[in-house]
Amino acid sequence: MHEHRLLDSEHSKELFSYYGLAVYYSQALEQQLVNLLVLMKLTQGKISPEEELTNLYYKKLGSSLGQLVHEIQHNFDFSEEESILLNNIWKKRNYIVHDYFKERILETFTPEGRSQMIDELIEFKDQAQKLEYKLLHYTQVLINQLELEEETDQELYDEEWEDGYSADGDENSK
């Protein structure tokens, strides 16, 4: 009975909330890795914009964080600091998701232990959020690049249309 009340304490609820935030931000980071990988392939012309894009997107969503980290590091030019941060977050995320409470259960029974765990989870959340924002920026750069390419393609098409056809629809002789 005493153990049940301990887990329902406000401090325990706070610990579990920060655990949830840590997992949430690691998932947000995973999503940004998927977005970045798919957009990279699209901007490099390695996939067509329609059906292949959807298939690739869902395939990448099914990849583990480790697979995404390895693939992005082979295909994207991160700074050394970003690569170290990405690897650290990946390892910490795996620890948090798979082993955190198994290895730290005794600490959940003391206010000091819970406070230390909360501090660690806040630090992880902040790191994951910081990297997710950087990836979001890189993703936006690729989106802007695609929009510029689409505008350029449309301008070329418009010029070809104007140069190649007269107002009445007959092809101009060149």
Side-chain angles (χ1 to χ4, degrees), residues 32-85:
Q32 283 306 322
L33 287 169
V34 167
N35 294 345
L36 189 56
L37 283 166
V38 170
L39 281 168
M40 284 172 46
K41 294 198 183 288
L42 189 60
T43 58
Q44 294 166 354
K46 294 183 178 178
I47 56 171
S48 67
E50 287 85 33
E51 190 173 319
E52 288 180 45
L53 178 66
T54 302
N55 291 337
L56 177 65
Y57 179 77
Y58 285 110
K59 180 181 175 191
K60 295 299 174 199
L61 280 179
S63 297
S64 71
L65 180 58
Q67 291 168 326
L68 295 171
V69 167
H70 286 300
E71 185 173 354
I72 198 76
Q73 287 180 327
H74 284 69
N75 293 295
F76 195 81
D77 191 24
F78 285 116
S79 70
E80 185 176 345
E81 176 188 334
E82 291 168 332
S83 289
I84 290 169
L85 183 59

Side-chain angles (χ1 to χ4, degrees), residues 5-160:
R5 280 184 279 165
L6 178 66
L7 293 177
D8 285 339
S9 75
E10 289 304 311
H11 202 220
S12 292
K13 289 178 182 179
E14 184 180 8
L15 170 62
F16 299 140
S17 294
Y18 280 108
Y19 177 84
L21 280 172
V23 172
Y24 168 81
Y25 278 104
S26 65
Q27 287 180 351
L29 180 63
E30 273 183 273
Q31 182 64 56
Q32 283 306 322
L33 287 169
V34 167
N35 294 345
L36 189 56
L37 283 166
V38 170
L39 281 168
M40 284 172 46
K41 294 198 183 288
L42 189 60
T43 58
Q44 294 166 354
K46 294 183 178 178
I47 56 171
S48 67
E50 287 85 33
E51 190 173 319
E52 288 180 45
L53 178 66
T54 302
N55 291 337
L56 177 65
Y57 179 77
Y58 285 110
K59 180 181 175 191
K60 295 299 174 199
L61 280 179
S63 297
S64 71
L65 180 58
Q67 291 168 326
L68 295 171
V69 167
H70 286 300
E71 185 173 354
I72 198 76
Q73 287 180 327
H74 284 69
N75 293 295
F76 195 81
D77 191 24
F78 285 116
S79 70
E80 185 176 345
E81 176 188 334
E82 291 168 332
S83 289
I84 290 169
L85 183 59
L86 182 58
N87 281 317
N88 287 340
I89 288 172
W90 167 39
K91 290 174 184 169
K92 285 180 186 177
R93 177 261 179 212
N94 284 346
Y95 171 69
I96 288 169
V97 170
H98 299 293
D99 299 315
Y100 196 71
F101 284 108
K102 287 188 283 188
E103 293 183 11
R104 310 284 298 274
I105 192 67
L106 293 178
E107 293 173 69
T108 65
F109 294 110
T110 67
E112 297 81 18
R114 288 190 301 272
S115 291
Q116 182 181 358
M117 293 170 76
I118 288 169
D119 290 344
E120 291 168 3
L121 291 167
I122 289 172
E123 181 182 346
F124 173 82
K125 175 203 68 86
D126 291 345
Q127 289 175 345
Q129 186 177 25
K130 178 183 173 184
L131 186 57
E132 188 241 345
Y133 286 151
K134 283 185 177 190
L135 294 178
L136 182 60
H137 168 74
Y138 295 141
T139 300
Q140 190 60 52
V141 168
L142 290 176
I143 289 171
N144 292 344
Q145 182 181 340
L146 282 173
E147 288 173 353
L148 286 175
E149 288 174 7
E150 286 178 8
E151 287 175 15
T152 303
D153 289 347
Q154 184 62 43
E155 288 171 6
L156 288 172
Y157 174 79
D158 291 346
E159 285 177 18
E160 288 176 6

